[in-house]
Amino acid sequence: MDEIEAGYAALIRTIGEAQKEKEKRAGELAGQEGALLARMAGMAAPLVGQIGMNLLKKGRQDQKGEIFNAEYYREKMIVLGKTEPMPYRPDDPTKKVNDQFCALNEKGEFVELMYSSDGQTIDSYTCPLGPEDAFGIYGYEAMLMLYRALREYLKGEEELVAALGTTVEFLRTEKKE
């Protein structure tokens, strides 16, 4: 029983130490989040073309909600966050914003995508977003999602390399026989 209590006390102590360290690190980072996000985006930019998606620019929606006559943005993007939408779009105040996202494009630039729908047509407006503004609106979620996108890509690449290695070894052993 003493071992359990000692282990539990050590766990509580470790959690407390981790919280103190987190507060200290957050204090050191305060005010520099935009700069960090900009550096992360610059480093990730060369990979966006490989891991990003072509996002919907506009399209028509049938009665079942299926999209047809879709047009997509030419460059790929990684979606980094979603926020409470603005009431209307800056390019057309008559269009209500249904969904609003932060994305990173292939040039390493942050953009904000605002989607509107009238029930038949879905279209979007995109505008540049500085890293400080991206952090201000989307917070740490943008950093986390960028990190996760790169980590998932790496995991997929590692699995592909391992599979290719296994295939090459199989072919080598087959030739020896």
Side-chain angles (χ1 to χ4, degrees):
M1 195 66 155
D2 290 340
E3 288 180 25
I4 294 173
E5 288 179 7
Y8 190 72
L11 179 62
I12 298 294
R13 212 174 23 259
T14 304
I15 290 171
E17 291 168 3
Q19 288 175 335
K20 287 178 188 174
E21 184 67 19
K22 180 176 75 174
E23 290 171 11
K24 177 185 168 205
R25 300 285 175 141
E28 293 171 3
L29 181 60
Q32 299 181 57
E33 296 92 348
L36 174 59
L37 191 55
R39 287 186 65 188
M40 290 173 70
M43 294 169 74
L47 296 172
V48 174
Q50 296 171 32
I51 63 176
M53 308 181 278
N54 291 100
L55 298 176
L56 180 69
K57 187 173 188 175
K58 66 180 182 178
R60 308 264 306 154
Q61 199 170 15
D62 67 16
Q63 294 161 340
K64 295 179 183 177
E66 300 292 323
I67 297 174
F68 63 97
N69 291 344
E71 292 179 34
Y72 296 91
Y73 287 99
R74 291 178 66 113
E75 61 184 352
K76 292 184 178 182
M77 297 182 223
I78 300 173
V79 176
L80 301 177
K82 182 177 181 178
T83 190
E84 198 62 37
M86 296 174 63
Y88 58 88
R89 287 191 357 201
D91 67 322
D92 187 348
T94 64
K95 292 186 177 181
K96 179 183 182 276
V97 178
N98 298 93
D99 292 302
Q100 186 171 332
F101 301 94
C102 176
L104 180 67
N105 66 23
E106 293 180 42
K107 297 173 194 162
E109 303 166 333
F110 294 99
V111 294
E112 195 161 42
L113 290 163
M114 297 176 194
Y115 285 96
S116 301
S117 174
D118 63 8
Q120 294 179 333
T121 303
I122 296 173
D123 72 334
S124 65
Y125 168 74
T126 183
C127 62
L129 193 62
E132 291 82 11
D133 292 330
F135 180 78
I137 297 168
Y138 297 92
Y140 287 105
E141 180 181 0
M143 285 182 195
L144 177 64
M145 293 305 290
L146 182 53
Y147 175 80
R148 281 188 173 170
L150 294 177
R151 189 179 74 195
E152 288 297 315
Y153 177 69
L154 173 62
K155 182 179 176 185
E157 288 294 293
E158 289 173 337
E159 290 172 359
L160 177 60
V161 168
L164 289 171
T166 301
T167 304
V168 168
E169 284 300 314
F170 175 76
L171 291 173
R172 284 182 184 160
T173 58
E174 188 176 84
K175 284 183 179 181
K176 288 179 183 177
E177 293 174 2

